[in-house]
Amino acid sequence: MIAPARLAAYETLLAVARGRADLPSALARARGPLRDERDRALAGEIATGTLRWQAAFDRIIARFSNRDPARLDLEILSILRLSLFQLLHLDRVPASAVVDDAVEMARKAGKRSAAGFVNALLRRASRERDKLPLPGEPRDAADRHAAIEYLSTTLSHPRWLVERWFDRIGFDATAAWARFDNQPAPLTLRVNTLRGTREALGDALAKAGVDTEPTRHAAAGLIVRAGNPLMTPLADQGFFVVQDEASQLVGEFVNAQPGESIFDACASPGGKTTQMAAMMRDEGLVVAADVRARRVDLLASTVKASGARSVRIVRADARLPLPLDPVFDAVLVDAPCSGLGTIRRDPDIRWRRAPSDFESLAAIQRAILGNAAALLHAGGRVIYSTCSSEPEENEAVVAAFLEAHPHFELTRELRTLPFKDGLEAFYGASLVNRPGLR
């Protein structure tokens, strides 16, 4: 009998490979029938790890089979990839069990003729795990060709992306960034300071069997080191939300003050919305907007759980002029973006994005930024942020906005970088409306 976790991981990877879903939604669907929490965790570990190391696995498949992986049936390719992850990165599963399950999965997928191929390739990979056909780290970091081969194949990142990073920051920083992306991301919480302090929540979680430590940079964050806070009674009481540390720094960057009025243009799922309300001590007004009904519902759920009374929710499309007066002290535009700064947490993003995406994304980002900034009174500030690593979505969007709106001034920037800060790559810019600059 095939292990339930492996079947769920296979279904997840196949859905992602076919372009039917992103990793979070595909994984949620595949894990739904699993009742054992250990199976759910293992399915997530296999699917996520397989996507992290996909390029390395494809090189192994190509060299051991003399076939282009792109020409294999997606079912067989997905089975080989997830099995290689288990053989090479998980030591608690016997190799024989992994291979046997892979062969049975091939048969179950209606690919009985490929069962022998799957068996032979995986057994060879298991035997030769200490001498895999992967590029080694270049002796000369300035050797661009060797560096890109290593970064894109052995460290499993899209060639076009590591070429950009290599040309921008050099080999050492790019390699550190890629290694960061290939490490499992810790579960990070933001304490809801409307309901208590970081110290009090840490103590309460410890009593519930969850070990945490304070984040290094964010003022109200906790990193989970052991245990699952989402399985404790505290999870349903609004004491915390799951929010990456870099994302928390963007919320802090807004510098929301008690009594202010703030417009949050792309607010769902509501982490930064409720963070700003807490920073304001729930004194003032946060108008939180999103465009899709399902995301508005998710936003409303997050706000309700937080207990914030200063938040008002509206459904609005910030890509279009907004029907509100210019009365706000601050506007947050946490813009839809490529998500390339969050590859560690969402490894499928590295394979779903392409350089051609930037033009259309930047057009949307410029439109939202311009429409949202129109809601500021004189002296108000707009904070533009993304979870992208790429300048087309960050500095270039800000520069285009400033050129079109000369009465705005760039006053501060925020940048988090994996190789420098040990955090996902986020960007923020604070722009102040100064009519006298016209």
Side-chain angles (χ1 to χ4, degrees):
M1 179 180 176
I2 303 170
R6 290 175 198 155
L7 276 178
Y10 166 71
E11 292 167 2
T12 299
L13 293 168
L14 197 56
V16 172
R18 287 173 170 165
R20 293 178 177 174
D22 59 14
L23 175 60
S25 57
L27 190 55
R29 189 176 303 116
R31 288 197 298 194
L34 300 180
R35 294 292 171 256
D36 191 319
E37 186 61 31
R38 290 169 298 181
D39 284 339
R40 294 172 61 84
L42 180 57
E45 184 178 12
I46 294 172
T48 303
T50 300
L51 285 163
R52 283 197 182 104
W53 297 103
Q54 178 173 298
F57 298 153
D58 285 359
R59 173 63 65 88
I60 294 168
I61 293 168
R63 292 296 173 85
F64 283 177
S65 68
N66 291 318
R67 300 187 193 183
D68 180 354
R71 299 179 66 86
L72 295 175
D73 291 337
L74 276 180
E75 294 89 347
I76 297 302
L77 183 58
S78 298
I79 291 168
L80 289 173
R81 285 169 172 170
L82 73 88
S83 301
L84 285 169
F85 173 73
Q86 293 173 90
L87 288 173
L88 303 177
H89 292 272
L90 297 183
D91 56 11
R92 61 183 182 270
V93 183
S96 58
V98 173
V99 176
D100 290 347
D101 268 7
V103 170
E104 185 58 30
M105 288 168 69
R107 292 173 178 149
K108 186 179 178 65
K111 308 292 180 181
R112 299 184 69 87
S113 62
F117 167 71
V118 169
N119 179 71
L121 190 146
L122 293 178
R123 290 192 183 282
R124 181 178 178 187
S126 182
R127 289 194 309 270
E128 301 182 20
R129 64 174 64 217
D130 294 328
K131 49 179 180 178
L132 295 171
L134 297 172
E137 187 168 346
R139 295 178 180 178
D140 180 2
D143 183 342
R144 191 176 189 277
H145 175 76
I148 298 304
E149 276 294 297
Y150 172 74
L151 294 165
S152 63
T153 302
T154 307
L155 297 188
S156 190
H157 277 62
R159 180 175 293 270
W160 68 267
L161 187 57
V162 292
E163 285 176 343
R164 282 170 157 256
W165 293 353
F166 179 87
D167 292 340
R168 202 158 72 223
I169 58 177
F171 174 78
D172 289 341
T174 301
W177 192 334
R179 293 188 185 106
F180 171 92
D181 287 344
N182 287 335
Q183 294 296 315
L187 181 64
T188 306
L189 313 177
R190 179 181 56 78
V191 179
N192 178 8
T193 54
L194 293 177
R195 295 195 184 277
T197 65
R198 176 160 69 175
E199 292 74 18
L201 180 61
D203 290 343
L205 287 170
K207 291 176 182 176
V210 179
D211 180 31
T212 63
E213 67 181 36
T215 48
R216 288 191 303 132
H217 304 284
L222 288 171
I223 297 173
V224 177
R225 292 306 181 194
N228 187 350
L230 303 178
M231 301 298 290
T232 70
L234 296 166
D236 298 322
Q237 299 179 42
F239 289 112
F240 63 83
V241 296
V242 176
Q243 188 175 353
D244 285 346
E245 186 173 3
S247 173
Q248 294 182 42
L249 292 179
V250 170
E252 293 179 14
F253 188 69
V254 177
N255 194 29
Q257 299 295 314
E260 286 191 320
S261 59
I262 298 178
F263 182 77
D264 190 352
C266 309
S268 189
K272 297 182 186 71
T273 301
T274 53
Q275 183 179 6
M276 292 186 293
M279 291 179 67
M280 295 163 60
R281 300 198 294 269
D282 218 13
E283 300 171 10
L285 174 66
V286 180
V287 177
D290 218 293
V291 61
R292 288 176 289 181
R294 194 167 73 175
R295 291 190 63 79
V296 171
D297 291 342
L298 177 59
L299 171 61
S301 176
T302 303
V303 171
K304 182 179 179 181
S306 76
R309 295 170 295 179
S310 58
V311 179
R312 300 294 179 268
I313 297 172
V314 299
R315 185 176 177 184
D317 187 351
R319 294 171 298 182
L320 305 172
L322 294 157
L324 296 169
D325 293 328
V327 297
F328 290 92
D329 299 299
V331 167
L332 172 61
V333 176
D334 187 31
C337 68
S338 66
L340 287 167
T342 63
I343 285 177
R344 178 173 70 158
R345 193 166 297 280
D346 297 307
D348 59 316
I349 288 176
R350 69 182 86 183
W351 310 121
R352 290 193 290 109
R353 289 300 184 192
S356 57
D357 295 336
F358 294 133
E359 184 176 354
S360 58
L361 286 167
I364 294 170
Q365 292 153 358
R366 290 192 299 268
I368 294 175
L369 179 55
N371 292 328
L375 304 184
L376 292 171
H377 60 58
R381 63 195 184 280
V382 57
I383 290 80
Y384 174 78
S385 69
T386 75
C387 55
S388 172
S389 58
E390 298 311 292
E392 289 94 330
E393 301 182 85
N394 297 330
E395 294 89 346
V397 170
V398 170
F401 174 82
L402 291 172
E403 184 175 357
H405 303 80
H407 53 288
F408 275 83
E409 179 184 9
L410 173 63
T411 57
R412 294 184 300 142
E413 284 185 292
L414 168 73
R415 223 179 250 100
T416 58
L417 294 167
F419 62 89
K420 177 174 174 286
D421 306 301
L423 299 174
E424 275 74 13
F426 275 60
Y427 174 81
S430 182
L431 308 153
V432 177
N433 181 16
R434 303 194 192 281
L437 292 177
R438 291 174 185 256

